[in-house]
Amino acid sequence: MNLIAFETSCDETSVAVIKNGVLAANIISSQEFHTKYGGVVPELSSRAHIKYIMPLMKSALEQAELRIGECDYIAATAGPGLIGALMIGFVYAKGLALSLDKPFIPVNHVEGHIYSGFLMDTKPQFPFLCLAVSGGHTLLVLVKSFTEMKILGSTIDDAAGEACDKVAKLLGLGYPGGPFIQKHALLGDEKSIKFPIAELKMKYDFSFSGLKTAVLRFVQKEQSISGNISEQMTNHIAASFQYTAVTSLAKKVEKAVTEFKPATLCLVGGVAANNRLRTAIESIAVKYGIPSVIPDMQFCGDNGAMIAFRAKSLVESGETFALTHEAFPSFVSDYLS
Ligand code: KG4
Ligand code: ZN
């Protein structure tokens, strides 16, 4: 199977190619310029996708040594994401499919992340428990096959990545916040400040807004006492925040491992790049004697490879596609707005 996939849901333009069933290219262009605005500017994101989508497609095909006419399927992220950004990749891919008379496969972005463990040499085994943590979503999912999954819980307010971004902003660090939190956390003491972990009625749901507010209150109090936040205090806050967020995620993951006894434990999404979280999830897997699969960095943040793989798995699962497909074809979309 030859397939080309486009990902443009937020601030990464990415094109991936599967050649003879194997990933042959995964080119990602990150829109670094949003940093100076402290967050993604949707209008600018859409414009950058327009600029880069065609050159990236050409590079990906070149790298894969494939011609566009040799692709059997054309796939693109259908959502969720920024609508203007999504539309660039979606409509571009659909037009391509129409002109080539090839099936178009719309892919749910979160499902792309959830199955991204399959891009690794060691594949997840079904049923696997998957913690999907990104800038837009935080989900705990029991994945039974390529066509069946059960969402055990999700965030009731901020996503984990969103919380990192907001706390980083509060501390005057850069955007996206996650990597800055991780960098400063390495220099701080994670037990120095005790931030609260939310207690929720639904046992697998998550909440980060209380934690975010606790950090805000702490920062305001510190500022009123000492006038400003020292570099060392910034490190302690980043470390303590990261520790609390990781602990709250890990607690639910461990509970679900004991209840559902999955064959594999997966951690996916942009926040899966966080070393402290990776270690925490790996430790749970070791404790319960199950393998863990956490994608390499290039497959954690948004990337075309995960969209290509998800499209391939849908085709192989017998889903049929027509150019008229508008809706998400599958499962997570039933739960996400
Ligand atoms: O999956 P992703 O690239 O985009 C969405 O689908 O949202 O995730 C982006 C999120 C951002 O919130 C970013 O701060 C976070 O992933 N992130 C991290 C790290 N690297 C990226 N969070 C914590 N630690 C990191 N090292
Ligand atoms: Zn994502």
Side-chain angles (χ1 to χ4, degrees):
M1 178 201 293
N2 296 334
L3 183 152
I4 188 161
F6 298 86
E7 155 64 35
T8 64
S9 67
C10 193
D11 56 347
E12 262 89 27
T13 317
S14 182
V15 184
V17 174
I18 285 179
K19 185 181 178 185
N20 299 325
V22 178
L23 183 68
N26 178 39
I27 302 201
I28 305 167
S29 164
S30 291
Q31 303 172 0
E32 314 281 351
F33 60 80
H34 294 290
T35 307
K36 63 174 176 283
Y37 304 103
V40 176
V41 182
E43 164 87 15
L44 298 181
S45 165
S46 305
R47 287 178 185 274
H49 289 313
I50 290 173
K51 186 170 169 190
Y52 291 114
I53 197 161
M54 199 172 329
L56 286 188
M57 179 186 82
K58 286 185 176 160
S59 307
L61 287 166
E62 236 171 71
Q63 195 175 316
E65 296 181 0
L66 200 72
R67 278 177 290 124
I68 189 67
E70 294 173 308
C71 292
D72 307 307
Y73 298 92
I74 315 291
T77 303
L82 299 172
I83 188 62
L86 281 167
M87 276 176 64
I88 311 303
F90 190 81
V91 174
Y92 181 89
K94 218 172 176 182
L96 208 54
L98 177 68
S99 67
L100 296 167
D101 196 22
K102 295 288 162 69
F104 170 69
I105 308 171
V107 174
N108 180 294
H109 179 84
V110 184
E111 289 182 8
H113 278 302
I114 289 172
Y115 291 100
S116 61
F118 286 91
L119 294 164
M120 302 300 293
D121 289 341
T122 307
K123 317 282 182 215
Q125 298 296 310
F126 294 116
F128 66 86
L129 182 71
C130 183
L131 177 66
V133 272
S134 72
H137 299 96
T138 300
L139 292 174
L140 192 57
V141 194
L142 188 64
V143 188
K144 297 174 185 171
S145 70
F146 285 121
T147 54
E148 201 186 349
M149 65 171 82
K150 185 174 165 35
I151 296 187
L152 305 175
S154 59
T155 180
I156 60 164
D157 40 59
D158 292 345
E162 190 181 357
C164 289
D165 295 339
K166 287 177 176 170
V167 167
K169 195 169 186 172
L170 190 68
L171 294 173
L173 310 176
Y175 179 87
F180 289 98
I181 294 286
Q182 173 167 304
K183 192 174 128 214
H184 284 268
L186 275 175
L187 305 168
D189 173 2
E190 63 178 22
K191 302 277 176 62
S192 58
I193 309 158
K194 201 165 164 30
F195 291 128
I197 292 182
E199 292 291 340
L200 300 170
K201 250 195 262 150
M202 302 300 289
K203 65 177 170 179
Y204 293 123
D205 277 351
F206 305 96
S207 168
F208 294 102
S209 80
L211 171 57
K212 186 188 63 191
T213 308
V215 176
L216 172 67
R217 296 253 159 79
F218 185 88
V219 168
Q220 285 170 337
K221 201 169 151 212
E222 271 299 303
Q223 280 169 334
S224 71
I225 297 166
S226 25
N228 66 341
I229 306 285
S230 69
E231 180 75 10
Q232 191 50 32
M233 182 52 83
T234 300
N235 297 340
H236 288 328
I237 296 170
S240 303
F241 161 75
Q242 180 180 266
Y243 170 79
T244 312
V246 167
T247 306
S248 70
L249 290 164
K251 267 173 87 172
K252 306 276 166 116
V253 169
E254 181 163 3
K255 199 179 279 181
V257 166
T258 57
E259 182 172 345
F260 297 101
K261 303 188 171 40
T264 305
L265 181 56
C266 288
L267 170 67
V268 301
V271 184
N274 184 275
N275 284 328
R276 186 69 182 76
L277 181 59
R278 292 171 87 93
T279 309
I281 297 299
E282 277 161 0
S283 309
I284 295 171
V286 169
K287 181 171 171 188
Y288 292 93
I290 53 171
S292 59
V293 176
I294 307 177
D296 284 348
M297 296 301 170
Q298 61 161 327
F299 303 131
C300 285
D302 292 343
N303 65 89
M306 69 182 193
I307 303 304
F309 178 81
R310 180 57 182 145
K312 175 174 175 270
S313 72
L314 287 167
V315 172
E316 289 172 347
S317 303
E319 296 263 351
T320 51
F321 298 96
L323 259 180
T324 47
H325 256 299
E326 294 296 345
F328 303 137
S330 42
F331 322 100
V332 169
S333 50
D334 295 341
Y335 302 88
L336 300 171
S337 56

